[in-house]
């Protein structure tokens, strides 16, 4: 009881303290001069402009996706849906090609991420250990791939020689490990797993694998989250490997399906009236399709944003 | 490790080192087992393709294979440069990335400096959250958005352009291709690219700001004399990376933005390689063009890094 009242009492006193604090801080701070205040108005104006530039196209797409085909085709939608309807979404979600693509992309992102994270840990962990003989050579070998790569055709020839053309593995294996992710993981292992932990584990008779599995990985959850999301979003968003390695449409990831619908424009009708309606519907579907295909990424985005920021900083630490 | 215990001669040091190395190999064999698959990946999908570049100097045919095909010397390179298209490609590639660099490089810095001045946390967080978001949208979607937004019939941007008296069908205009490419890129990545500068700004010693304040520095002076010098090393590293990748401009977006009308400006080396190699199946020529591109890139990166090291003391390694 007493604890409960105590915690309940807290919010009442808190605003007073909060209200007092800024005043006191302002008193010790040197007042902005008039020039500074004008400068700050400029700063806010600049950032607001930037915010709007990023936001307006996004809002326009979402608003259009909820509008009627005629309103979209007539270019009558700006920031608010006109003749609000779900028709566009209904059409998108009943299209076989799109559903197949969506499923395929989930598969590629899921399995691809799993493979990539596993392989990245398998190389980054040994490379983070100073005992490893030839450590510098291995690291050099990884970093060199950031400076120079085999190129399109030579890589294509390897994929073809392995018989991976037109298989799901062609989208997963050739880009399985990113040098950048290896670098981030390696830096993380070196900087945040204390050496004492390893010594203690060794005294208890734990092998390297055991140590990696039961101590390093549980301590590295933020890192695993960052690289998993990097690989996952990368895989979800890529269309290029699919374009060059896949022939069968039933293997196409969503992005390639999208490209064929949105950019190459694969729609047609029979008679003129049909064609008009079909064209208007196709216009609307494009907007709905953009929203549907971006939703999975945007759903994870708020959770990702923080980790990604950390990831960028981890990667920027040299050495 | 053990070498430092007694003060031994060079020979015994070497001997000891060899012993520890052998003991390490035996004790840490599991680390090497872990490395097997990733190393196989790097060999198969990174280093064998590099070796495959040898077909740039051969007349590759499927029957004889990579090593059996007859040598051609520099024929394919000569064939490429003899074609007047070559110089258009090089010009298009260079112009596109230089434009991208000149316009795109300063904006994230300005953005980070401006965000750093803002004290209102909600506003700051909102700007950050919103401007990072486009980074996670796929290239296909960004290009689709461009096509829709600039569509003369549907898009609101074409109305806006028409209002200012500009040609409203921007995507069909070859002269507008570079601007569309570069500014949409900035739209997509500026917020995200600002993160690295925000991190650098957060790392600046607070006492410098206090000293500046005591000296009566205005906000602008503080940015000029404290913030900018503070992030200079980061700026240099990012600059080296961007200049070094001037020729490495991506295939994905240019290819999607291409249409028969803007091809005179939008055909770059990467898209040409794809068409020659995979659509016309001229593997040797495509590889030669790609190799030329990669080598130029590598040389540029090394050169910029060396110059930067000498001038500013900052480099990538």
């Amino acid at each position: 009881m007493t604890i409960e009242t105590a915690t309940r009492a807290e919010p009442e006193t808190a605003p007073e303290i909060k209200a007092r604090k800024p005043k006191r801080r302002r008193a010790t701070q040197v007042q902005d001069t008039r020039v500074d205040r004008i400068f700050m108005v400029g700063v806010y104006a600049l950032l607001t402009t930037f915010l709007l530039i990023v936001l307006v196209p996004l809002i326009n797409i979402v608003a259009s996706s909820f509008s009627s085909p005629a309103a979209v085709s007539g270019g009558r939608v700006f920031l608010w849906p006109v003749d609000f309807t779900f028709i566009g979404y209904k059409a998108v979600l009943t299209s076989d090609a799109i559903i197949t693509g969506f499923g395929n992309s989930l598969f590629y992102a899921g399995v691809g991420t799993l493979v990539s994270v596993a392989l990245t840990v398998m190389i980054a962990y040994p490379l983070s250990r100073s005992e490893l003989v030839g450590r510098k050579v291995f690291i050099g070998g990884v970093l060199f791939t950031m400076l120079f790569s085999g190129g399109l055709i030579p890589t294509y020839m390897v994929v073809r020689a392995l018989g991976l053309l037109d298989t799901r593995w062609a989208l997963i294996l050739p880009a399985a490990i990113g040098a950048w992710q290896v670098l981030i993981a390696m830096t993380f292992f070196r900087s945040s797993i204390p050496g004492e932990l390893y010594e203690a584990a060794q005294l208890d008779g734990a092998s390297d694998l055991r140590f990696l599995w039961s101590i390093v990985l549980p301590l590295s959850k933020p890192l695993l989250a960052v690289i998993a999301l990097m690989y996952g979003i990368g895989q979800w968003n890529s269309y290029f490997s699919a374009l060059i390695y896949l022939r069968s449409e039933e293997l196409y990831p969503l992005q390639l399906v999208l490209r064929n619908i949105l950019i190459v424009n694969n729609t047609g009708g029979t008679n003129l009236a049909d064609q008009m309606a079909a064209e208007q519907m196709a216009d609307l579907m494009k907007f709905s399709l953009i929203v549907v295909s971006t939703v999975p990424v945007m759903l994870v985005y708020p959770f990702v944003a923080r980790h990604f920021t950390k990831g960028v900083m981890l990667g920027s630490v040299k050495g | 490790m053990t070498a430092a215990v007694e003060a031994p001669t060079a020979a015994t040091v070497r001997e000891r080192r060899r012993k520890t190395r052998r003991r390490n190999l035996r004790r840490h064999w599991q680390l090497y087992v872990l490395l097997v698959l990733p190393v196989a990946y790097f060999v198969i999908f990174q280093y064998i393709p590099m070796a495959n570049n040898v077909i740039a100097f051969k007349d590759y045919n499927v029957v004889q294979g990579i090593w059996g095909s007859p040598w051609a010397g520099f024929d394919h390179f000569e064939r490429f440069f003899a074609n007047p298209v070559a110089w258009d490609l090089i010009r298009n590639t260079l112009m596109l990335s230089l434009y991208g660099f000149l316009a795109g490089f300063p904006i994230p810095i300005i953005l980070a400096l401006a965000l750093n001045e803002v004290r209102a946390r909600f506003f700051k967080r909102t700007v950050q959250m919103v401007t990072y978001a486009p980074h996670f949208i796929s290239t296909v979607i960004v290009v689709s958005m461009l096509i829709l937004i600039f569509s003369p019939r549907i898009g609101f941007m074409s109305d806006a352009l028409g209002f200012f008296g500009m040609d409203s069908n921007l995507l069909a205009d070859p002269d507008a291709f570079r601007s569309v490419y570069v500014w949409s890129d900035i739209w997509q990545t500026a917020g995200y690219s600002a993160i690295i500068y925000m991190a650098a700004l957060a790392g600046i010693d607070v006492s410098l700001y206090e000293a500046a304040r005591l000296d009566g520095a205005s906000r602008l002076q503080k940015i000029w004399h404290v913030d900018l010098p503070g992030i200079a090393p980061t700026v240099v590293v990012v600059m080296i990376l961007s200049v070094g990748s001037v020729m490495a401009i991506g295939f994905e977006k240019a290819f999607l933005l291409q249409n028969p009308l803007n091809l005179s400006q939008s055909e770059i080396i990467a898209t040409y390689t794809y068409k020659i190699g995979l659509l016309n199946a001229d593997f040797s020529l495509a590889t030669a063009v790609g190799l030329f591109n990669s080598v130029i890139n590598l040389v540029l990166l090394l050169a910029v890094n060396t110059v930067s090291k000498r001038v500013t003391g900052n480099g990538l390694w």
Side-chain angles (χ1 to χ4, degrees):
Chain A
M1 269 300 263
T2 46
I3 297 169
E4 228 185 320
T5 47
T7 49
R8 211 180 281 163
E10 215 175 36
E12 284 171 36
T13 52
E16 277 176 48
I17 300 168
K18 263 184 200 158
R20 223 177 287 142
K21 244 185 185 168
K23 261 186 203 163
R24 203 180 285 163
R25 207 186 282 158
R26 209 170 289 159
T28 54
Q29 228 172 36
V30 178
Q31 285 283 317
D32 277 358
T33 61
R34 227 182 62 193
V35 180
D36 279 346
R37 253 172 283 153
I38 296 171
F39 177 70
M40 282 313 287
V41 171
V43 164
Y44 276 94
L46 179 81
L47 290 175
T48 310
T49 312
F50 193 70
L51 186 71
L52 289 178
I53 290 176
V54 172
L55 215 47
V56 166
L58 296 175
I59 296 177
N60 175 258
I61 299 286
V62 176
S64 302
S65 74
F66 286 107
S67 302
S68 72
V72 168
S73 267
R76 289 190 279 125
V77 187
F78 185 44
L79 296 179
W80 200 255
V82 176
D83 311 331
F84 188 91
T85 166
F86 286 106
I87 293 181
Y89 287 98
K90 228 174 258 165
V92 165
L93 295 176
T94 49
S95 152
D96 286 339
I98 293 166
I99 291 181
T100 313
F102 207 93
N104 284 339
S105 277
L106 281 179
F107 174 84
Y108 296 130
V111 177
T113 304
L114 220 63
V115 170
S116 294
V117 171
L119 285 174
T120 304
V121 169
M122 283 164 76
I123 189 167
Y125 176 67
L127 292 190
S128 74
R129 293 277 299 271
S130 321
E131 299 96 322
L132 191 82
V133 177
R135 179 172 171 261
K136 287 210 169 124
V137 179
F138 285 118
I139 293 179
V142 172
L143 293 186
F144 186 67
T145 62
M146 288 172 111
L147 302 179
F148 191 81
S149 70
L152 175 69
I153 299 299
T155 311
Y156 178 87
M157 290 167 73
V158 169
V159 174
R160 192 181 62 179
L162 291 173
L164 296 179
L165 280 189
D166 209 21
T167 68
R168 291 184 189 273
W169 291 108
L171 298 202
I172 293 174
L173 294 180
I177 308 184
W180 188 243
Q181 281 81 351
V182 173
L183 201 65
I184 292 176
M186 202 176 76
T187 315
F188 182 90
F189 291 144
R190 276 183 88 75
S191 59
S192 31
I193 308 293
E196 292 83 10
L197 264 185
Y198 177 67
E199 280 157 30
Q202 219 175 12
L203 282 179
D204 289 344
S207 67
D208 286 312
L209 274 180
R210 182 68 209 255
F211 181 67
L212 172 65
W213 186 253
S214 352
I215 297 181
V216 175
L217 289 184
L219 284 176
S220 307
K221 277 178 196 148
L223 168 88
L224 296 178
V226 169
I227 57 174
L229 287 163
M230 281 177 155
Y231 283 127
I233 291 179
Q235 191 63 258
W236 181 269
N237 281 345
S238 85
Y239 81 93
F240 184 51
S241 334
L243 177 73
I244 56 179
Y245 297 134
L246 295 186
R247 291 280 159 275
S248 323
E249 287 189 12
E250 69 267 18
L251 297 180
Y252 280 6
L254 186 61
Q255 299 298 331
L256 195 58
V257 177
L258 292 181
R259 180 217 165 221
N260 292 342
I261 296 175
L262 294 170
I263 296 167
V264 185
N265 237 333
N266 282 338
T267 45
T270 42
N271 62 51
L272 209 65
D274 262 8
Q275 207 172 322
M276 250 286 268
E279 255 173 37
Q280 291 190 342
M281 197 59 211
D283 286 338
L284 170 62
M285 268 181 77
K286 289 178 180 174
F287 287 97
S288 309
L289 196 47
I290 287 178
V291 176
V292 168
S293 65
T294 314
V295 158
V297 177
M298 286 301 144
L299 278 183
V300 289
Y301 166 65
F303 308 100
V304 186
R306 267 225 167 140
H307 286 306
F308 256 71
T309 319
K310 270 185 215 151
V312 170
M313 289 173 202
L314 274 177
S316 64
V317 176
K318 278 209 286 182
Chain B
M1 250 175 24
T2 48
V5 177
E6 319 152 23
T9 62
T12 53
V13 168
R14 219 173 295 135
E15 179 62 22
R16 285 250 168 110
R17 225 176 251 161
R18 198 175 302 138
K19 261 188 196 156
T20 23
R21 189 175 289 179
R22 207 173 303 142
R23 210 183 56 209
N24 268 340
L25 280 174
R26 211 177 308 128
R27 196 194 286 167
H28 298 296
W29 61 271
Q30 291 179 329
L31 294 182
Y32 301 90
V33 172
L34 277 176
L35 278 175
V36 170
L37 279 178
V39 167
Y41 163 81
F42 274 98
V43 170
I44 294 172
F45 291 107
Q46 300 286 342
Y47 284 91
I48 291 181
M50 282 184 211
N52 281 355
N53 269 309
V54 72
I55 66 165
F57 306 97
K58 290 186 159 212
D59 283 324
Y60 174 75
N61 61 69
V62 187
V63 183
Q64 288 175 291
I66 297 167
W67 299 104
S69 298
W71 289 98
F74 283 89
D75 281 3
H76 299 295
F77 294 89
E78 279 166 23
R79 194 146 64 92
F80 174 59
F81 287 110
N83 188 340
V85 170
W87 301 105
D88 287 342
L89 291 173
I90 294 172
R91 199 194 57 226
N92 283 347
T93 307
L94 272 176
M95 292 288 279
L96 187 59
S97 42
L98 278 180
Y99 184 2
F101 171 69
L102 291 178
F105 186 69
I107 289 178
I109 302 178
I110 295 170
L111 193 61
L113 290 173
L115 272 170
N116 195 45
E117 292 301 310
V118 172
R119 289 288 162 267
R121 286 197 73 188
F122 178 74
F123 180 75
K124 192 173 172 176
R125 290 282 292 277
T126 310
V127 174
Q128 284 179 305
M129 269 312 253
V130 171
T131 57
Y132 293 176
H135 175 81
F136 300 96
I137 298 175
S138 75
T139 315
V140 173
I141 294 297
V142 170
V143 173
S144 312
M145 283 174 66
L146 283 170
I147 292 174
L148 289 172
I149 285 172
F150 284 102
S151 146
R153 192 162 44 89
I154 315 174
F156 75 90
M157 275 306 284
S158 53
D159 296 343
L161 290 175
F163 181 77
F164 290 111
M166 285 160 76
D167 182 7
S168 64
N169 193 3
L170 219 54
L171 295 178
D173 178 5
D175 292 325
F177 168 78
R178 279 176 203 144
S179 295
V180 170
Y181 185 103
V182 165
W183 290 102
S184 61
D185 236 26
I186 293 172
W187 176 85
Q188 197 184 359
T189 60
Y192 190 74
S193 313
I195 295 178
I196 195 165
Y197 301 115
M198 293 290 288
L201 283 167
I204 294 176
D205 190 352
V206 188
S207 64
L208 290 174
Y209 289 113
E210 281 161 11
R213 196 165 287 161
L214 282 178
D215 288 344
S218 72
R219 281 181 182 267
L220 201 57
Q221 284 171 318
K222 198 203 64 184
I223 289 178
W224 187 254
H225 294 289
V226 181
D227 286 351
L228 277 179
I231 62 171
T234 313
V235 173
V236 170
V237 168
V238 175
M239 192 158 75
I240 297 172
L241 285 173
S242 352
V243 175
S245 54
V246 148
M247 294 284 278
I249 194 145
F251 166 93
E252 304 210 349
K253 196 167 163 192
F255 183 67
L256 292 176
L257 273 173
Q258 273 180 358
N259 55 51
L261 296 172
N262 67 13
L263 217 54
S264 64
Q265 307 258 338
S266 64
E267 188 80 295
I268 59 173
I269 295 181
T271 54
Y272 181 76
T273 314
Y274 165 76
K275 287 172 190 169
I276 290 294
L278 289 182
L279 303 185
N280 296 358
D282 193 339
F283 277 23
S284 284
L285 180 60
T287 306
V289 177
L291 182 63
F292 161 74
N293 200 6
S294 313
V295 168
I296 298 263
N297 235 329
L298 184 62
V299 171
L300 269 176
L301 188 67
L302 294 176
V304 178
N305 193 50
T306 315
V307 170
S308 158
K309 252 185 179 169
R310 208 159 285 164
V311 176
T312 67
N314 290 311
L316 292 180
W317 56 83

